[in-house]
């Protein structure tokens, strides 16, 4: 099997490629956002030829948070996309590295497969795969970034790049085979690994498992991958990354995947757009996690920084009612980012504004058809502009409709910059909050009277 003549560089960008012929080897690459969904790449297996092999790092450094190379052939897969201790990866900020697999003797390699899993840029795999029997003239086990492997006794087997155009995260699987015969006879296999990006220090792939099939070996059996309790996805061209951690609410995982994920993907970027400030950058990584009711102090949900905590029992009860809207409300808090601003932390925006803006967005933009923030006859007498939550949301809706469709953006901007004070109303509308409240209540009264007719 001669592979050394095929050293052209192929870069594959497609998200799900058909099998690509690389010389005589076929490289099937696949990435998926949901585990266990590989269609063309076989699942990882146990008792393959790599299980008992020896792994050596010929170039590069292992990351201190990485597991050792043993995880690459322990026949175990991580259970979610953020498990550094279950993956092998080269050190942060470094230029990848070289990994040598010594099978102990030369075998007819039928197939080579590699698996990785991460929420974002550490999911994709970029490497060149080389092989050697061991008796090649000048075969070198000492390599640098500059090593010309073809001149150092190594045969090129395949050139792998699984980076998709978008949605980098998820599980990536690579399977290298030759159509009708083994890839070749090899004792040593060498992966020359590159980082997937150098925009930040975290471009080195989370490799989970490597499988090598001996053409003359016994049959292998697939590894069962436990279902992940974490859902990882992105929005707005990978600008925003989300994790939903359902460890404490596994029964809600499918609902989150089906119902909540699209709402988060659509509404988080929308809310960011709705609430701008010069130079403000909204949190780009948001985590939603479920906690047992006993840890929630009676709250259905709350946001702290870019983490949204959800009350498991409350969500179970409200799946068909308030659950989705509550998440929209909390996402608005993440975008408000009021506590990130030191000046605001000192002046402190009144709570009824902090809660009124998310409830305006939720009840009047996200789910207007629910009419959940209408002022009822019962609530009318006690409703004030600063009653907070949905009552204040209703007041804000009145101002948006009557005076200024940019009002929410202006109010939020002042609040986020720590510049909100009671003069805001006079400066914005030429009227005091009390005067505006009177107009709003007259409008509410009129609507109530109309509805009785
Ligand atoms: Zn709130």
């Amino acid at each position: 099997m001669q592979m050394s003549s095929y050293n052209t560089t192929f870069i594959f960008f497609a998200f799900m490629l058909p099998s690509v012929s690389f010389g005589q080897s076929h490289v099937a690459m696949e990435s998926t956002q949901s585990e266990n969904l590989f269609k063309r790449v076989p699942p990882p297996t146990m008792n393959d030829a790599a299980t008992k092999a020896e792994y050596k790092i010929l170039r590069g450094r292992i990351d201190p948070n990485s597991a050792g190379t043993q995880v690459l052939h322990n026949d175990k897969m991580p259970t979610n996309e953020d498990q550094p201790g279950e993956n092998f990866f080269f050190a942060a900020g470094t230029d990848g590295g070289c990994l040598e697999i010594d099978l102990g003797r030369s075998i007819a390699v039928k197939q080579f497969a590699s698996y990785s899993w991460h929420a974002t840029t550490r999911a994709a795999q970029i490497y060149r795969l080389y092989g050697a029997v061991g008796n090649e003239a000048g075969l070198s086990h000492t390599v640098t970034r500059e090593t010309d492997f073809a001149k150092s006794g190594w045969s090129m087997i395949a050139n792998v790049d699984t980076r998709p155009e978008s949605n980098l995260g998820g599980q990536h699987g690579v399977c290298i085979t030759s159509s009708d015969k083994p890839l070749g006879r090899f004792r040593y296999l060498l992966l020359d690994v590159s980082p997937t990006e150098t925009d930040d220090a975290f471009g080195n792939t989370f490799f989970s498992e490597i499988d090598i099939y001996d053409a003359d070996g016994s049959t292998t059996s697939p590894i069962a991958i436990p279902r992940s309790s974490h859902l990882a996805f992105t929005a707005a061209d990978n600008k925003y990354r989300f994790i939903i951690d359902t460890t404490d609410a596994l029964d809600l995982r499918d609902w989150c995947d089906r119902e909540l994920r699209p709402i988060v993907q659509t509404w988080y970027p929308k809310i960011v757009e709705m609430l701008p400030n010069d130079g403000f950058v909204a949190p780009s990584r948001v985590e939603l996690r479920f906690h047992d009711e006993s840890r929630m102090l009676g709250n259905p949900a709350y946001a702290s920084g870019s983490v949204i905590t959800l009350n498991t029992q409350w969500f179970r009860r409200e799946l068909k009612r308030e659950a989705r809207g509550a998440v929209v409300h909390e996402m608005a808090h993440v975008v408000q980012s009021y506590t990130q601003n030191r000046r605001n932390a000192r002046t402190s925006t009144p709570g009824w504004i902090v809660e009124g803006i998310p409830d305006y967005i939720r009840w009047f933009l996200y789910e207007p058809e629910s009419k959940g923030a209408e002022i009822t006859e019962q609530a009318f007498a006690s409703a004030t502009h600063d009653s907070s939550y949905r009552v204040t949301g209703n007041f804000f809706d009145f101002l948006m409709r009557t005076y200024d469709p940019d009002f929410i953006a202006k109010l939020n901007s002042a609040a986020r910059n720590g510049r909100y004070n009671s003069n805001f109303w006079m400066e914005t509308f030429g009227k005091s909050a009390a005067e505006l409240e009177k107009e709003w209540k007259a409008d509410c009264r009129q609507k109530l009277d109309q509805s009785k007719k």
Side-chain angles (χ1 to χ4, degrees):
M1 191 78 194
Q2 258 87 52
M3 288 296 181
S4 53
S5 56
Y6 298 102
N7 53 5
T8 330
T9 304
F10 280 176
I11 312 272
F12 304 115
F13 289 104
F15 182 65
M16 262 183 73
L17 287 164
S19 293
V20 175
S21 239
F22 187 82
Q24 283 157 296
S25 59
H26 290 270
V27 184
M29 284 175 278
E30 205 169 338
S31 55
T32 169
Q33 295 282 311
S34 315
E35 66 281 8
N36 277 334
L37 284 181
F38 289 129
K39 291 187 180 73
R40 292 173 307 100
V41 172
T45 59
M46 298 188 254
N47 302 320
D48 56 275
T51 307
K52 291 199 174 95
E54 238 182 85
Y55 284 61
K56 236 194 220 163
I57 298 172
L58 299 190
R59 178 177 73 78
R61 279 185 293 120
I62 185 169
D63 192 282
N65 294 315
S66 162
T69 55
Q70 76 278 359
V71 293
L72 294 172
H73 54 126
N74 65 350
D75 295 347
K76 252 178 70 190
M77 293 291 282
T79 53
N80 69 58
E81 72 302 302
D82 189 24
Q83 291 186 315
E86 300 293 327
N87 290 283
F88 168 83
F89 48 103
F90 288 107
T94 65
D95 192 18
C98 255
L99 197 60
E100 185 188 72
I101 303 165
D102 179 0
L103 298 168
R105 62 187 176 89
S106 92
I107 61 166
V109 175
K110 187 175 149 203
Q111 182 176 309
F112 181 95
S114 56
Y115 304 87
S116 53
W117 198 357
H118 188 257
T120 59
T121 52
R122 314 185 84 162
Q125 305 178 26
I126 305 179
Y127 63 85
R128 286 174 174 227
L129 180 67
Y130 297 90
V133 181
N135 57 6
E136 287 86 351
L139 179 67
S140 171
H141 298 274
T142 310
V143 304
T144 67
R145 196 62 173 135
E146 280 70 47
T147 297
D148 182 342
F149 290 94
K151 287 184 184 153
S152 307
W154 293 91
S155 299
M156 171 97 165
I157 299 173
N159 191 357
V160 169
D161 184 343
T162 71
R163 281 175 300 181
E165 273 169 31
S166 60
N167 289 321
L168 277 172
Q171 284 185 294
H172 285 229
V174 172
C175 177
I176 303 164
T177 54
S178 181
S179 41
D180 51 357
K181 48 185 186 280
L183 286 166
R185 275 201 89 80
F186 303 112
R187 170 176 171 176
Y188 301 101
L189 289 158
L190 186 147
L191 284 84
D192 188 22
V193 181
S194 299
T196 64
E197 49 96 9
T198 51
D199 301 340
D200 56 35
F202 308 108
N204 279 317
T205 305
F206 270 31
F207 284 99
S208 314
E209 185 75 15
I210 287 176
D211 287 342
I212 299 167
Y213 298 1
D214 182 347
D216 309 314
S218 52
T219 46
T220 54
S221 42
I223 298 173
I225 306 175
R227 263 162 72 84
S228 171
S229 55
H230 288 49
L231 295 166
F233 52 92
T234 64
D237 288 336
N238 293 323
K239 202 164 157 192
Y240 304 113
R241 300 158 179 183
F242 305 92
I243 302 263
I244 305 180
D245 178 352
T246 63
T247 308
D248 275 4
L250 276 175
D251 56 311
L252 297 180
R253 186 192 181 283
D254 288 341
W255 178 83
C256 289
D257 199 14
R258 210 176 46 239
E259 307 275 341
L260 202 51
R261 175 208 290 248
I263 292 167
V264 170
Q265 283 173 312
T266 308
W267 279 87
Y268 187 78
K270 255 193 203 189
I271 298 169
V272 171
E273 221 163 273
M274 241 175 254
L275 305 176
N277 266 107
D278 279 349
F280 171 73
V281 179
S284 60
R285 187 188 186 282
V286 180
E287 183 175 337
L288 297 91
R289 60 165 87 114
F290 284 92
H291 274 180
D292 190 86
E293 198 154 42
S294 59
R295 297 163 70 185
M296 296 294 292
L297 302 167
N299 290 305
Y302 60 84
S304 172
S306 59
V307 177
I308 295 172
T309 307
L310 310 168
N311 179 326
T312 305
Q313 285 81 354
W314 186 87
F315 267 75
R316 281 182 188 140
R317 288 193 295 272
E318 293 293 331
L319 284 189
K320 289 200 163 71
R321 291 182 301 216
E322 298 243 359
R324 299 169 186 80
V327 172
V328 171
H329 175 105
E330 298 307 328
M331 288 197 293
H333 281 317
V334 173
V335 176
Q336 284 175 315
S337 299
Y338 291 171
T339 52
Q340 310 305 95
N341 185 308
R342 264 197 233 120
R343 186 188 157 91
N344 181 60
R346 264 202 322 274
T347 51
S348 169
T349 306
W352 62 274
I353 292 176
V354 176
E355 297 300 345
I357 292 175
D359 258 15
Y360 166 74
I361 292 170
R362 172 189 174 173
W363 296 109
F364 292 93
L365 305 180
Y366 167 68
E367 50 179 329
E369 69 289 346
S370 72
K371 301 203 183 305
E374 296 297 295
I375 305 297
T376 60
E377 191 62 63
Q378 216 181 359
F380 178 79
S382 63
T384 59
H385 73 281
D386 57 357
S387 293
S388 195
Y389 291 101
R390 61 185 88 188
V391 179
T392 295
N394 190 296
F395 173 60
F396 289 172
D397 173 60
F398 168 76
L399 297 175
M400 290 288 277
R401 283 187 287 114
T402 315
Y403 286 102
D404 182 0
D406 288 332
F407 153 69
I408 285 290
K410 286 177 186 166
L411 175 63
N412 178 72
S413 167
R416 186 188 278 141
N417 283 341
R419 294 180 196 284
Y420 171 83
N421 59 46
S422 53
N423 298 330
F424 173 86
W425 308 96
M426 193 54 86
E427 283 161 15
T428 309
F429 298 100
K431 292 174 183 177
S432 68
E435 286 173 289
L436 293 165
E437 179 180 301
K438 245 186 214 162
E439 292 178 17
W440 163 61
K441 294 231 26 188
D443 185 68
C444 293
R445 183 69 265 160
Q446 207 183 359
K447 275 195 194 158
L448 285 169
D449 292 345
Q450 261 167 10
S451 67
K452 279 181 202 149
K453 282 176 193 160

